[in-house]
Amino acid sequence: QVQLVESGGGVVQAGGSLRLSCAASGTIFSINAMAWDRQAPGKQRELVAEISSGGTTNYVDFVMDRFTISRDNAKNTVYLQMSSLKPEDTAVYYCNAEISAYPFIRTYRPYWGQGTQVTVSS
């Protein structure tokens, strides 16, 4: 009923930039927090960035000052602008969001996208 779809992944040289997008669709009433996770081979999935419904952001230290999370509430979309990319940023990136959907407009549930691969070459 509710679906999140990521896009924008690909291969980029170290030092380059990439912008990921994630659009939510379905019988959505409201979206609370939105976030980006990533998982590299052999490593645990980690939360990279989050953004509240009001635009407050938080980042993991490793991406501080390089990544920027933003959202367009009219489009139900969250973005992750990545700059100064490093090989260590190589991972599958997943968006997630806390969403309420008709008719249960007061119950927020977590939803996840399918993931998009980001590969940073040296």
Side-chain angles (χ1 to χ4, degrees), residues 1-121:
Q1 194 68 10
V2 174
Q3 183 179 14
L4 274 65
V5 179
E6 301 101 333
S7 62
V11 180
V12 64
Q13 295 251 343
S17 299
L18 209 60
R19 188 177 82 152
L20 306 182
S21 300
C22 175
S25 61
T27 56
I28 296 170
F29 174 74
S30 182
I31 301 177
N32 193 12
M34 306 184 82
W36 287 93
D37 294 350
R38 70 183 183 186
Q39 187 167 27
K43 297 188 65 178
Q44 184 174 323
R45 180 180 293 196
E46 63 178 346
L47 179 61
V48 174
E50 66 173 13
I51 183 167
S52 72
S53 61
T56 301
T57 61
N58 291 294
Y59 302 90
V60 69
D61 287 345
F62 186 77
V63 307
M64 186 70 67
D65 299 323
R66 299 190 299 117
F67 290 12
T68 300
I69 187 171
S70 61
R71 63 192 289 169
D72 186 335
N73 291 331
K75 297 180 179 179
N76 292 331
T77 299
V78 62
Y79 305 93
L80 186 67
Q81 178 67 50
M82 304 181 292
S83 301
S84 301
L85 283 163
K86 305 175 180 180
E88 302 85 73
D89 295 318
T90 295
V92 177
Y93 285 71
Y94 301 88
C95 69
N96 64 276
E98 299 172 342
I99 299 172
S100 65
Y102 294 100
F104 306 106
I105 63 175
R106 297 175 183 84
T107 299
Y108 287 85
R109 301 289 302 276
Y111 293 87
W112 301 85
Q114 82 289 346
T116 185
Q117 176 71 47
V118 172
T119 301
V120 184
S121 63

